[in-house]
Amino acid sequence: MEIEKTNRMNTLFEFYATLLTKKQMNYMELYYADDFSLGEIAEEFNVSRQAVYDNIKRTEKILEDYEYKLSMYSDYRIRSELLDQLTDYIKQNYPADETLTNLVKDIQEIDE
């Protein structure tokens, strides 16, 4: 469960980091991406452990709210699944059609 939450927060952070304040970005990156403890982050920023914890919890909620309202991550996952299905369909039914294959690759590169 913790790994799933960490992966989700890291992914939501990738999508919405630019909408966060610098402090929120720093705390989230250190906590989730760099695996710092609350105490280590508190020491780094010369604040209390509780302040770091509160900020991270608020930021998690903000990220989830952004996803609820904007659905960028959900849309990305759906697009990826559909493009995978389309790629498989092309391989099975149109293996020699390089134009179609290249168009799908171009679409995939937009999200990357």
Side-chain angles (χ1 to χ4, degrees):
M1 181 69 171
E2 250 337 278
I3 291 174
E4 290 174 14
K5 181 180 179 183
T6 298
N7 289 340
R8 180 167 175 79
M9 283 299 124
N10 280 325
T11 303
L12 292 179
F13 182 77
E14 287 180 34
F15 279 92
Y16 303 113
T18 57
L19 300 175
L20 301 174
T21 67
K22 186 151 182 79
K23 185 188 335 183
Q24 289 169 329
M25 287 174 31
N26 287 335
Y27 286 9
M28 292 298 284
E29 189 166 20
L30 289 172
Y31 188 72
Y32 281 106
D34 298 337
D35 201 29
F36 275 47
S37 70
L38 296 175
E40 290 170 324
I41 298 168
E43 190 174 306
E44 179 81 20
F45 289 94
N46 200 27
V47 296
S48 71
R49 185 182 176 285
Q50 186 65 43
V52 173
Y53 175 82
D54 291 344
N55 186 291
I56 288 172
K57 289 301 170 192
R58 275 193 311 274
T59 305
E60 289 172 353
K61 183 176 178 348
I62 288 168
L63 290 173
E64 291 291 354
D65 287 346
Y66 286 151
E67 177 58 17
Y68 177 76
K69 292 173 183 172
L70 302 172
S71 302
M72 290 172 56
Y73 174 53
S74 299
D75 292 347
Y76 168 79
R77 287 181 51 207
I78 292 168
R79 265 193 317 277
S80 293
E81 290 173 17
L82 290 172
L83 283 169
D84 288 345
Q85 291 174 17
L86 182 58
T87 300
D88 292 343
Y89 182 82
I90 291 168
K91 285 178 184 176
Q92 291 174 1
N93 298 293
Y94 302 98
D97 192 334
E98 290 182 27
T99 302
L100 193 53
T101 302
N102 288 333
L103 287 171
V104 170
K105 284 181 184 177
D106 290 344
I107 294 170
Q108 287 171 325
E109 288 176 7
I110 291 171
D111 277 340
E112 293 174 2

